[in-house]
Amino acid sequence: MAVERTLSIIKPDATRRNLTGKINAVIEDAGLRIVAQKRVALTRAQAEGFYAVHKERSFFGELVDFMISGPVVVQALEGENAVATYREVMGATNPANADEGTIRKQFAESIEANSVHGSDSLENAAIEISYFFAQTEIVG
Ligand code: CMP
């Protein structure tokens, strides 16, 4: 295994319910380190750009509306096998299918308001981290 970095977003449903600290505790308890973090209000253009891969999907418009409906917390996470580790910690996209103890099982409201995003590959992690953070903002 190798030390990797992955991009996490704590979504508006979670910031609205004041869950940033509880979610960060799950992340840290899983052995991942939060090496960069900022709370931001995404612009529509930023949200559309981030999810551009989904732009042909039926849910794209609602997804963008949701992601700009409140603040998000963007984070770079570091650890052994961080991409796969964080996907396990998050649980399935649809909280109805998420395993016990995962962030989405504990906190998500629906497939859209599912509390967190995590990169799906090491290649996308690098792209997504650089979408939000300059190298100087990441302190390992
Ligand atoms: P995320 O990991 O942020 O990547 C794309 C997001 O689209 C996903 O989490 C879901 O929150 C959201 N989404 C909304 N509706 C759907 C759907 N029907 N299928 C998959 N993802 C959906």
Side-chain angles (χ1 to χ4, degrees):
M1 283 199 294
V3 174
E4 297 174 351
R5 286 176 177 170
T6 193
L7 191 277
S8 164
I9 305 177
I10 300 178
K11 297 187 180 184
D13 66 285
T15 61
R16 194 173 289 130
R17 288 175 289 150
N18 216 18
L19 292 171
T20 300
K22 286 200 171 77
I23 290 173
N24 280 352
V26 178
I27 289 169
E28 293 185 336
D29 286 349
L32 293 166
R33 304 182 75 82
I34 301 165
V35 294
Q37 175 170 262
K38 56 189 169 190
R39 180 174 167 105
V40 292
L42 295 179
T43 65
R44 181 169 294 277
Q46 270 180 314
E48 285 176 350
F50 183 77
Y51 280 121
V53 63
H54 294 305
K55 68 173 180 297
E56 306 304 332
R57 308 284 287 272
S58 60
F59 57 81
F60 180 72
E62 285 180 8
L63 173 61
V64 169
D65 286 346
F66 169 65
M67 291 299 288
I68 66 173
S69 69
V72 300
V73 178
V74 293
Q75 309 172 303
L77 308 181
E78 183 180 270
E80 289 287 338
N81 221 11
V83 173
T85 298
Y86 190 46
R87 291 185 73 78
E88 275 176 34
V89 169
M90 289 192 298
T93 303
N94 186 343
N97 303 325
D99 290 340
E100 287 299 329
T102 62
I103 292 171
R104 286 165 172 161
K105 179 71 176 186
Q106 291 183 73
F107 303 120
E109 297 178 317
S110 67
I111 192 168
E112 178 177 87
N114 66 353
S115 298
V116 281
H117 165 85
S119 307
D120 64 2
S121 68
L122 194 54
E123 185 189 6
N124 282 338
I127 294 167
E128 292 181 357
I129 289 170
S130 65
Y131 193 81
F132 289 112
F133 294 104
Q135 277 305 316
T136 51
E137 294 178 299
I138 304 170
V139 184

